[in-house]
Amino acid sequence: MQIFKFGGASVKDAAGVKNLGEIVASFGSQRLVIVVSAMGKTTNKLEDLVKQAHTGQDYAATLGELKDYHHEIAQELFGEIPESYLHFERSLENELKDLGECESMLAYDKIVPYGELMSTSIIAEYLNKQVNCKWFDARTIIRTDQYFTEANVDWVVTEKQVINLLKPVAEESVVVTQGFIGSDVEGNSTTLGREGSDYTGAILAYCLNAEGFTVWKDVPGILNADPRILEGAEQYEKLSYREVTEMTYYGAQVIHPKTLKPIAQKSIPLMVRSFQDKAKSGTTISTDNTTKMIPCFVFKGNQLLVTAQVKDHSFMDEKKLGLILQVLDLLNIKINLMQNSALTFSFCIDNKEFKSKRIKELLNRDFILSFESPLNLATIKNYTPDAFNKLPWNRTVIMEQKTANNYQVLYR
Ligand code: ASP
Ligand code: MG
Protein backbone atom coordinates (compact mmCIF):
# COMPACT_ATOMS: atom_id res chain seq x y z
CA MET A 1 0.00 0.00 0.00
CA GLN A 2 1.22 3.49 -0.88
CA ILE A 3 -0.04 6.79 0.49
CA PHE A 4 -0.09 9.86 -1.76
CA LYS A 5 -0.78 13.38 -0.59
CA PHE A 6 -1.77 16.20 -2.93
CA GLY A 7 -1.79 19.75 -1.57
CA GLY A 8 -4.08 22.61 -2.54
CA ALA A 9 -1.73 23.98 -5.22
CA SER A 10 -1.73 20.66 -7.08
CA VAL A 11 -5.53 20.68 -7.46
CA LYS A 12 -6.16 24.40 -7.82
CA ASP A 13 -7.92 23.97 -11.20
CA ALA A 14 -9.33 21.35 -13.56
CA ALA A 15 -5.90 20.83 -15.18
CA GLY A 16 -4.52 20.02 -11.72
CA VAL A 17 -7.20 17.39 -11.13
CA LYS A 18 -6.47 15.85 -14.55
CA ASN A 19 -2.77 15.82 -13.73
CA LEU A 20 -3.52 14.04 -10.45
CA GLY A 21 -5.44 11.51 -12.51
CA GLU A 22 -2.41 10.94 -14.76
CA ILE A 23 -0.13 10.40 -11.78
CA VAL A 24 -2.56 7.89 -10.26
CA ALA A 25 -2.93 6.09 -13.60
CA SER A 26 0.84 5.80 -13.96
CA PHE A 27 0.94 3.74 -10.76
CA GLY A 28 -1.26 1.13 -12.39
CA SER A 29 -2.43 -1.61 -10.09
CA GLN A 30 -0.69 -0.27 -6.94
CA ARG A 31 -2.94 -0.05 -3.94
CA LEU A 32 -3.27 3.65 -3.19
CA VAL A 33 -4.75 5.83 -0.49
CA ILE A 34 -4.87 9.41 -1.74
CA VAL A 35 -5.04 12.25 0.76
CA VAL A 36 -6.10 15.60 -0.67
CA SER A 37 -6.25 19.18 0.67
CA ALA A 38 -8.76 21.85 -0.17
CA MET A 39 -8.40 23.24 -3.70
CA GLY A 40 -6.08 26.23 -4.15
CA LYS A 41 -6.61 28.86 -1.47
CA THR A 42 -10.02 27.55 -0.41
CA THR A 43 -9.04 27.20 3.25
CA ASN A 44 -8.21 30.91 3.45
CA LYS A 45 -11.55 31.69 1.87
CA LEU A 46 -13.36 29.46 4.37
CA GLU A 47 -11.53 31.20 7.20
CA ASP A 48 -12.95 34.52 5.92
CA LEU A 49 -16.37 32.96 5.53
CA VAL A 50 -16.58 31.56 9.05
CA LYS A 51 -15.38 34.84 10.53
CA GLN A 52 -18.06 36.76 8.66
CA ALA A 53 -20.83 34.31 9.48
CA HIS A 54 -19.83 34.06 13.11
CA THR A 55 -19.73 37.81 13.66
CA GLY A 56 -23.06 38.38 11.96
CA GLN A 57 -21.65 40.01 8.80
CA ASP A 58 -23.04 39.44 5.34
CA TYR A 59 -21.15 36.46 3.96
CA ALA A 60 -23.11 35.95 0.72
CA ALA A 61 -20.34 37.31 -1.54
CA THR A 62 -17.63 35.11 -0.01
CA LEU A 63 -19.85 32.05 -0.19
CA GLY A 64 -20.66 32.91 -3.81
CA GLU A 65 -16.96 33.08 -4.72
CA LEU A 66 -16.31 29.74 -3.06
CA LYS A 67 -19.17 28.09 -4.95
CA ASP A 68 -18.26 29.67 -8.30
CA TYR A 69 -14.68 28.50 -7.96
CA HIS A 70 -15.67 24.87 -7.40
CA HIS A 71 -18.44 25.00 -10.00
CA GLU A 72 -16.01 26.19 -12.64
CA ILE A 73 -13.65 23.28 -11.96
CA ALA A 74 -16.51 20.75 -11.90
CA GLN A 75 -18.01 22.18 -15.11
CA GLU A 76 -14.71 21.84 -16.91
CA LEU A 77 -14.25 18.26 -15.69
CA PHE A 78 -17.78 16.91 -16.06
CA GLY A 79 -19.87 19.46 -17.94
CA GLU A 80 -22.16 19.51 -14.89
CA ILE A 81 -21.94 19.77 -11.10
CA PRO A 82 -21.94 16.31 -9.47
CA GLU A 83 -24.48 15.56 -6.77
CA SER A 84 -21.72 14.19 -4.49
CA TYR A 85 -20.29 17.73 -4.39
CA LEU A 86 -23.62 19.58 -4.16
CA HIS A 87 -24.46 17.58 -1.07
CA PHE A 88 -21.59 19.30 0.79
CA GLU A 89 -22.47 22.70 -0.58
CA ARG A 90 -25.99 22.42 0.84
CA SER A 91 -24.75 21.16 4.14
CA LEU A 92 -22.22 24.04 4.36
CA GLU A 93 -25.02 26.53 3.73
CA ASN A 94 -27.12 25.01 6.50
CA GLU A 95 -24.27 25.02 8.99
CA LEU A 96 -23.49 28.67 8.23
CA LYS A 97 -27.06 29.67 9.10
CA ASP A 98 -26.79 27.76 12.31
CA LEU A 99 -23.48 29.02 13.71
CA GLY A 100 -25.24 31.38 16.12
CA GLU A 101 -23.75 31.39 19.55
CA CYS A 102 -21.25 28.59 19.16
CA GLU A 103 -17.70 29.23 20.35
CA SER A 104 -15.35 30.64 17.66
CA MET A 105 -12.88 27.72 17.54
CA LEU A 106 -15.74 25.24 17.34
CA ALA A 107 -17.34 27.33 14.60
CA TYR A 108 -14.05 27.28 12.67
CA ASP A 109 -13.92 23.49 12.83
CA LYS A 110 -17.54 23.17 11.70
CA ILE A 111 -16.95 25.20 8.54
CA VAL A 112 -13.31 24.98 7.43
CA PRO A 113 -13.37 21.18 6.76
CA TYR A 114 -15.74 21.80 3.84
CA GLY A 115 -12.74 22.74 1.72
CA GLU A 116 -11.42 19.20 1.91
CA LEU A 117 -14.88 17.61 1.69
CA MET A 118 -15.64 19.53 -1.50
CA SER A 119 -12.27 18.94 -3.17
CA THR A 120 -12.28 15.19 -2.49
CA SER A 121 -15.86 14.79 -3.70
CA ILE A 122 -14.89 16.30 -7.07
CA ILE A 123 -11.61 14.37 -7.30
CA ALA A 124 -13.15 11.01 -6.38
CA GLU A 125 -15.85 11.60 -8.98
CA TYR A 126 -13.17 12.31 -11.58
CA LEU A 127 -10.94 9.33 -10.69
CA ASN A 128 -13.92 7.02 -10.71
CA LYS A 129 -14.08 7.47 -14.46
CA GLN A 130 -10.67 5.83 -14.87
CA VAL A 131 -10.14 3.53 -11.86
CA ASN A 132 -12.25 1.82 -9.25
CA CYS A 133 -12.19 4.56 -6.63
CA LYS A 134 -13.98 5.18 -3.32
CA TRP A 135 -14.50 8.49 -1.52
CA PHE A 136 -13.83 8.06 2.18
CA ASP A 137 -14.75 10.39 5.06
CA ALA A 138 -11.57 10.96 7.11
CA ARG A 139 -13.70 12.08 10.06
CA THR A 140 -14.85 8.50 10.58
CA ILE A 141 -11.26 7.34 11.19
CA ILE A 142 -9.14 10.24 12.48
CA ARG A 143 -10.21 10.68 16.12
CA THR A 144 -8.96 13.76 17.94
CA ASP A 145 -9.39 15.62 21.21
CA GLN A 146 -11.47 18.82 21.42
CA TYR A 147 -8.62 21.27 21.00
CA PHE A 148 -10.52 22.78 18.06
CA THR A 149 -8.44 24.29 15.21
CA GLU A 150 -5.29 22.45 16.38
CA ALA A 151 -6.66 19.13 17.52
CA ASN A 152 -4.43 16.31 18.77
CA VAL A 153 -4.82 12.80 17.42
CA ASP A 154 -6.01 9.95 19.62
CA TRP A 155 -3.71 7.31 18.20
CA VAL A 156 -5.30 4.28 19.85
CA VAL A 157 -8.81 4.94 18.54
CA THR A 158 -7.53 6.20 15.17
CA GLU A 159 -5.40 3.14 14.51
CA LYS A 160 -8.29 0.84 15.36
CA GLN A 161 -10.66 2.75 13.07
CA VAL A 162 -8.18 2.89 10.19
CA ILE A 163 -7.66 -0.86 10.37
CA ASN A 164 -11.34 -1.72 10.79
CA LEU A 165 -12.93 0.81 8.44
CA LEU A 166 -10.41 2.11 5.91
CA LYS A 167 -8.15 -0.90 5.32
CA PRO A 168 -10.81 -3.24 3.89
CA VAL A 169 -11.90 -0.53 1.44
CA ALA A 170 -8.31 0.31 0.46
CA GLU A 171 -7.64 -3.35 -0.28
CA GLU A 172 -10.42 -3.33 -2.89
CA SER A 173 -10.11 0.08 -4.51
CA VAL A 174 -8.20 3.33 -4.74
CA VAL A 175 -9.29 5.52 -1.84
CA VAL A 176 -9.62 9.30 -1.91
CA THR A 177 -9.85 10.93 1.50
CA GLN A 178 -9.36 14.33 3.14
CA GLY A 179 -6.26 15.64 4.80
CA PHE A 180 -6.39 18.03 7.76
CA ILE A 181 -9.72 16.93 9.27
CA GLY A 182 -10.93 14.54 11.93
CA SER A 183 -13.64 14.34 14.55
CA ASP A 184 -13.92 14.27 18.32
CA VAL A 185 -15.68 11.74 20.54
CA GLU A 186 -19.00 13.59 20.16
CA GLY A 187 -18.79 13.55 16.36
CA ASN A 188 -17.87 17.23 15.96
CA SER A 189 -15.54 17.93 13.04
CA THR A 190 -12.04 19.01 14.05
CA THR A 191 -8.95 20.26 12.20
CA LEU A 192 -5.31 19.41 12.81
CA GLY A 193 -3.80 22.87 12.28
CA ARG A 194 -3.05 24.70 9.02
CA GLU A 195 -1.18 22.66 6.43
CA GLY A 196 -2.11 19.54 8.37
CA SER A 197 -2.78 17.31 5.35
CA ASP A 198 0.79 16.01 5.31
CA TYR A 199 0.23 14.87 8.86
CA THR A 200 -2.94 13.00 7.87
CA GLY A 201 -0.93 11.18 5.20
CA ALA A 202 1.64 10.18 7.81
CA ILE A 203 -1.05 8.97 10.23
CA LEU A 204 -2.55 6.74 7.55
CA ALA A 205 0.89 5.51 6.43
CA TYR A 206 1.63 4.55 10.02
CA CYS A 207 -1.69 2.84 10.72
CA LEU A 208 -1.69 0.95 7.40
CA ASN A 209 2.02 0.03 7.56
CA ALA A 210 2.40 1.59 4.12
CA GLU A 211 5.41 0.80 1.95
CA GLY A 212 5.86 4.46 1.15
CA PHE A 213 4.37 7.93 1.55
CA THR A 214 4.70 10.40 -1.32
CA VAL A 215 3.94 14.11 -0.98
CA TRP A 216 3.37 15.68 -4.43
CA LYS A 217 4.38 19.35 -4.32
CA ASP A 218 5.03 22.36 -6.54
CA VAL A 219 8.79 22.14 -5.89
CA PRO A 220 11.16 19.51 -7.33
CA GLY A 221 11.96 18.14 -3.86
CA ILE A 222 13.38 19.51 -0.62
CA LEU A 223 15.69 22.47 -1.17
CA ASN A 224 18.31 23.92 1.17
CA ALA A 225 16.60 27.33 1.13
CA ASP A 226 13.41 28.98 -0.02
CA PRO A 227 14.27 29.90 -3.64
CA ARG A 228 12.05 32.99 -3.38
CA ILE A 229 14.38 34.34 -0.70
CA LEU A 230 17.81 32.97 -1.56
CA GLU A 231 19.27 32.56 -5.03
CA GLY A 232 20.89 29.29 -6.05
CA ALA A 233 18.98 26.99 -3.71
CA GLU A 234 20.05 23.35 -4.10
CA GLN A 235 17.94 20.22 -3.91
CA TYR A 236 18.68 17.28 -1.64
CA GLU A 237 18.42 13.85 -3.22
CA LYS A 238 18.36 12.06 0.12
CA LEU A 239 17.80 13.18 3.68
CA SER A 240 17.44 11.39 6.99
CA TYR A 241 14.30 11.64 9.13
CA ARG A 242 16.40 13.39 11.70
CA GLU A 243 17.64 16.10 9.36
CA VAL A 244 14.14 16.86 8.11
CA THR A 245 12.72 16.86 11.64
CA GLU A 246 15.34 19.46 12.56
CA MET A 247 14.66 21.51 9.43
CA THR A 248 10.94 21.67 10.24
CA TYR A 249 11.73 22.53 13.85
CA TYR A 250 13.50 25.65 12.65
CA GLY A 251 10.53 26.53 10.46
CA ALA A 252 11.44 25.15 7.02
CA GLN A 253 8.13 24.74 5.23
CA VAL A 254 9.10 21.51 3.53
CA ILE A 255 6.59 19.34 5.28
CA HIS A 256 4.23 19.67 8.25
CA PRO A 257 6.36 19.28 11.41
CA LYS A 258 4.24 16.48 12.87
CA THR A 259 4.65 14.31 9.76
CA LEU A 260 8.06 12.85 10.50
CA LYS A 261 7.55 11.11 13.82
CA PRO A 262 4.94 8.52 12.79
CA ILE A 263 6.69 7.54 9.57
CA ALA A 264 10.15 7.46 11.18
CA GLN A 265 8.78 5.18 13.91
CA LYS A 266 8.00 2.60 11.26
CA SER A 267 10.88 3.49 8.90
CA ILE A 268 8.43 4.24 6.07
CA PRO A 269 10.24 6.11 3.28
CA LEU A 270 8.86 9.59 2.57
CA MET A 271 9.20 10.95 -0.96
CA VAL A 272 8.77 14.64 -1.80
CA ARG A 273 8.18 14.95 -5.53
CA SER A 274 7.03 17.47 -8.10
CA PHE A 275 3.52 17.06 -9.48
CA GLN A 276 4.63 19.20 -12.44
CA ASP A 277 7.77 17.28 -13.26
CA LYS A 278 6.59 13.72 -12.72
CA ALA A 279 9.67 12.06 -14.21
CA LYS A 280 11.97 13.42 -11.51
CA SER A 281 12.41 11.34 -8.37
CA GLY A 282 12.56 14.28 -5.94
CA THR A 283 13.89 13.86 -2.41
CA THR A 284 13.72 10.61 -0.47
CA ILE A 285 13.68 10.76 3.31
CA SER A 286 14.61 7.61 5.19
CA THR A 287 16.87 6.24 7.93
CA ASP A 288 19.85 6.69 5.58
CA ASN A 289 22.03 9.42 7.07
CA THR A 290 25.14 8.98 4.95
CA THR A 291 24.70 12.13 2.84
CA LYS A 292 27.04 14.97 3.67
CA MET A 293 24.84 17.91 4.56
CA ILE A 294 25.20 21.21 2.77
CA PRO A 295 24.12 24.24 4.85
CA CYS A 296 20.38 24.71 5.08
CA PHE A 297 18.83 28.18 5.39
CA VAL A 298 15.51 28.86 7.05
CA PHE A 299 13.92 32.30 7.20
CA LYS A 300 10.89 33.14 9.32
CA GLY A 301 9.21 36.53 9.10
CA ASN A 302 6.65 38.13 11.42
CA GLN A 303 8.30 37.11 14.65
CA LEU A 304 7.41 38.49 18.06
CA LEU A 305 10.00 38.92 20.79
CA VAL A 306 8.57 38.77 24.30
CA THR A 307 10.71 39.81 27.24
CA ALA A 308 9.55 38.92 30.72
CA GLN A 309 11.27 40.71 33.58
CA VAL A 310 10.93 39.82 37.26
CA LYS A 311 9.03 42.43 39.30
CA ASP A 312 11.12 42.32 42.48
CA HIS A 313 14.90 42.09 42.37
CA SER A 314 15.02 38.32 42.69
CA PHE A 315 16.55 36.26 39.88
CA MET A 316 14.83 34.83 36.85
CA ASP A 317 15.23 31.41 38.46
CA GLU A 318 14.06 27.93 37.49
CA LYS A 319 10.73 28.33 39.26
CA LYS A 320 9.90 31.50 37.32
CA LEU A 321 11.12 30.00 34.05
CA GLY A 322 8.91 27.01 34.78
CA LEU A 323 5.92 29.29 35.23
CA ILE A 324 6.47 30.96 31.86
CA LEU A 325 7.04 27.68 30.05
CA GLN A 326 3.88 26.23 31.58
CA VAL A 327 1.84 29.13 30.20
CA LEU A 328 3.37 28.73 26.74
CA ASP A 329 2.65 25.01 26.83
CA LEU A 330 -0.94 25.70 27.86
CA LEU A 331 -1.36 28.07 24.91
CA ASN A 332 0.28 25.61 22.49
CA ILE A 333 2.99 28.14 21.65
CA LYS A 334 6.33 27.06 20.22
CA ILE A 335 9.44 29.03 21.14
CA ASN A 336 11.64 29.71 18.12
CA LEU A 337 14.58 31.19 20.05
CA MET A 338 15.13 31.96 23.75
CA GLN A 339 17.67 33.52 26.07
CA ASN A 340 17.76 34.26 29.77
CA SER A 341 19.67 36.70 31.93
CA ALA A 342 19.70 37.54 35.64
CA LEU A 343 16.37 39.35 35.63
CA THR A 344 14.81 38.57 32.26
CA PHE A 345 13.73 35.76 29.99
CA SER A 346 13.30 36.59 26.31
CA PHE A 347 11.64 34.35 23.78
CA CYS A 348 10.75 34.67 20.16
CA ILE A 349 7.52 33.19 18.77
CA ASP A 350 5.35 33.42 15.67
CA ASN A 351 3.44 36.70 15.91
CA LYS A 352 -0.22 35.85 16.42
CA GLU A 353 -2.37 38.51 18.02
CA PHE A 354 -4.72 36.29 19.98
CA LYS A 355 -1.82 34.35 21.47
CA SER A 356 0.11 37.43 22.61
CA LYS A 357 -3.09 38.71 24.20
CA ARG A 358 -3.38 35.49 26.21
CA ILE A 359 0.30 35.69 27.21
CA LYS A 360 -0.36 39.16 28.61
CA GLU A 361 -3.40 37.99 30.53
CA LEU A 362 -1.61 35.04 32.07
CA LEU A 363 1.84 36.49 32.85
CA ASN A 364 1.14 40.16 33.63
CA ARG A 365 0.67 39.47 37.33
CA ASP A 366 4.15 38.03 37.87
CA PHE A 367 6.29 39.78 35.26
CA ILE A 368 6.87 43.09 33.51
CA LEU A 369 6.30 42.21 29.86
CA SER A 370 7.56 43.92 26.75
CA PHE A 371 6.85 43.03 23.12
CA GLU A 372 8.62 43.78 19.87
CA SER A 373 7.41 42.87 16.39
CA PRO A 374 7.60 42.27 13.49
CA LEU A 375 11.11 40.76 13.50
CA ASN A 376 12.85 38.21 11.28
CA LEU A 377 14.54 35.01 12.31
CA ALA A 378 17.21 33.35 10.19
CA THR A 379 18.65 29.92 10.90
CA ILE A 380 21.61 28.25 9.23
CA LYS A 381 21.73 24.54 9.94
CA ASN A 382 25.09 22.86 9.34
CA TYR A 383 26.73 26.20 8.70
CA THR A 384 30.06 26.67 6.95
CA PRO A 385 32.17 29.87 7.09
CA ASP A 386 30.85 30.83 3.63
CA ALA A 387 27.24 30.43 4.58
CA PHE A 388 27.11 33.59 6.70
CA ASN A 389 27.74 35.76 3.64
CA LYS A 390 24.40 34.68 2.24
CA LEU A 391 22.36 36.21 5.08
CA PRO A 392 20.64 39.53 4.38
CA TRP A 393 22.92 42.52 4.96
CA ASN A 394 22.04 45.77 6.71
CA ARG A 395 20.12 44.12 9.53
CA THR A 396 20.01 45.14 13.17
CA VAL A 397 20.75 42.10 15.29
CA ILE A 398 18.44 41.70 18.28
CA MET A 399 19.52 38.26 19.48
CA GLU A 400 22.05 35.71 18.24
CA GLN A 401 22.93 32.12 19.05
CA LYS A 402 25.61 29.78 17.74
CA THR A 403 26.20 26.11 18.50
CA ALA A 404 28.63 23.64 16.90
CA ASN A 405 26.26 23.07 13.95
CA ASN A 406 23.63 25.77 13.92
CA TYR A 407 23.46 29.55 13.89
CA GLN A 408 20.34 31.62 14.59
CA VAL A 409 19.85 35.34 14.41
CA LEU A 410 16.83 37.46 15.23
CA TYR A 411 16.96 40.79 13.43
CA ARG A 412 15.06 43.93 12.60
N1 ASP B 1 -6.28 22.90 3.49
C1 ASP B 1 -5.54 23.03 4.71
C2 ASP B 1 -4.74 24.30 4.72
O1 ASP B 1 -4.67 24.98 3.71
C3 ASP B 1 -4.70 21.83 5.00
C4 ASP B 1 -3.53 21.63 4.07
O2 ASP B 1 -3.47 22.25 3.02
O3 ASP B 1 -2.66 20.82 4.38
O4 ASP B 1 -4.16 24.62 5.72
MG1 MG C 1 -3.46 23.96 1.74
Side-chain angles (χ1 to χ4, degrees), residues 32-273:
L32 288 181
V33 174
I34 304 169
V35 176
V36 191
S37 303
M39 290 172 158
K41 303 258 180 263
T42 298
T43 304
N44 295 350
K45 179 105 347 192
L46 283 160
E47 284 186 346
D48 294 343
L49 183 63
V50 67
K51 205 166 167 192
Q52 290 165 352
H54 193 246
T55 52
Q57 297 172 55
D58 182 6
Y59 57 80
T62 312
L63 179 62
E65 282 162 22
L66 186 87
K67 283 161 60 171
D68 288 349
Y69 172 61
H70 287 90
H71 287 193
E72 200 178 306
I73 293 174
Q75 275 293 351
E76 195 175 330
L77 292 172
F78 315 114
E80 60 177 351
I81 317 290
E83 177 50 37
S84 55
Y85 160 84
L86 287 171
H87 160 79
F88 290 118
E89 204 174 272
R90 285 192 295 270
S91 134
L92 168 64
E93 284 171 338
N94 287 335
E95 294 225 51
L96 283 167
K97 281 183 213 140
D98 238 33
L99 276 185
E101 299 298 284
C102 97
E103 196 273 321
S104 67
M105 308 278 219
L106 178 64
Y108 182 104
D109 276 2
K110 274 182 192 296
I111 300 304
V112 172
Y114 279 95
E116 271 68 14
L117 294 167
M118 288 169 159
S119 74
T120 51
S121 66
I122 293 174
I123 288 160
E125 196 80 40
Y126 180 78
L127 284 181
N128 225 345
K129 301 202 183 304
Q130 57 186 60
V131 289
N132 171 23
C133 162
K134 288 254 155 49
W135 179 88
F136 199 93
D137 192 335
R139 296 170 301 178
T140 61
I141 43 175
I142 308 288
R143 167 67 64 80
T144 72
D145 63 8
Q146 300 189 319
Y147 202 101
F148 297 111
T149 75
E150 278 178 39
N152 301 293
V153 172
D154 179 332
W155 280 92
V156 177
V157 177
T158 300
E159 187 169 18
K160 217 184 275 163
Q161 297 188 144
V162 170
I163 291 169
N164 292 339
L165 304 173
L166 175 64
K167 200 169 176 226
V169 183
E171 274 163 357
E172 298 295 317
S173 39
V174 170
V175 169
V176 173
T177 191
Q178 308 78 37
F180 177 57
I181 70 174
S183 70
D184 69 9
V185 67
E186 291 168 38
N188 297 303
S189 296
T190 55
T191 57
L192 307 178
R194 288 300 307 264
E195 306 302 324
S197 295
D198 293 343
Y199 184 37
T200 304
I203 296 166
L204 299 184
Y206 176 95
C207 296
L208 292 167
N209 286 314
E211 284 155 56
F213 172 29
T214 306
V215 176
W216 298 91
K217 286 179 75 106
D218 55 358
V219 287
I222 296 184
L223 307 176
N224 75 329
D226 184 336
R228 290 168 301 188
I229 300 178
L230 214 81
E231 256 178 56
E234 292 174 58
Q235 190 202 312
Y236 299 102
E237 222 171 281
K238 288 191 288 182
L239 281 169
S240 65
Y241 295 122
R242 193 196 156 124
E243 283 293 344
V244 182
T245 304
E246 288 181 6
M247 284 161 84
T248 61
Y249 176 82
Y250 292 118
Q253 289 181 328
V254 291
I255 202 113
H256 190 277
K258 286 184 174 172
T259 310
L260 274 298
K261 188 176 161 191
I263 58 156
Q265 267 177 336
K266 291 206 174 167
S267 301
I268 298 167
L270 168 63
M271 278 71 65
V272 176
R273 296 181 60 172

Side-chain angles (χ1 to χ4, degrees), residues 285-316:
I285 303 147
S286 67
T287 47
D288 182 350
N289 59 0
T290 53
T291 322
K292 176 164 172 0
M293 282 294 292
I294 52 172
C296 167
F297 298 83
V298 184
F299 295 96
K300 271 172 92 73
N302 202 16
Q303 297 292 294
L304 170 70
L305 180 69
V306 184
T307 302
Q309 191 187 328
V310 292
K311 282 194 168 168
D312 48 21
H313 284 270
S314 61
F315 292 143
M316 175 57 81

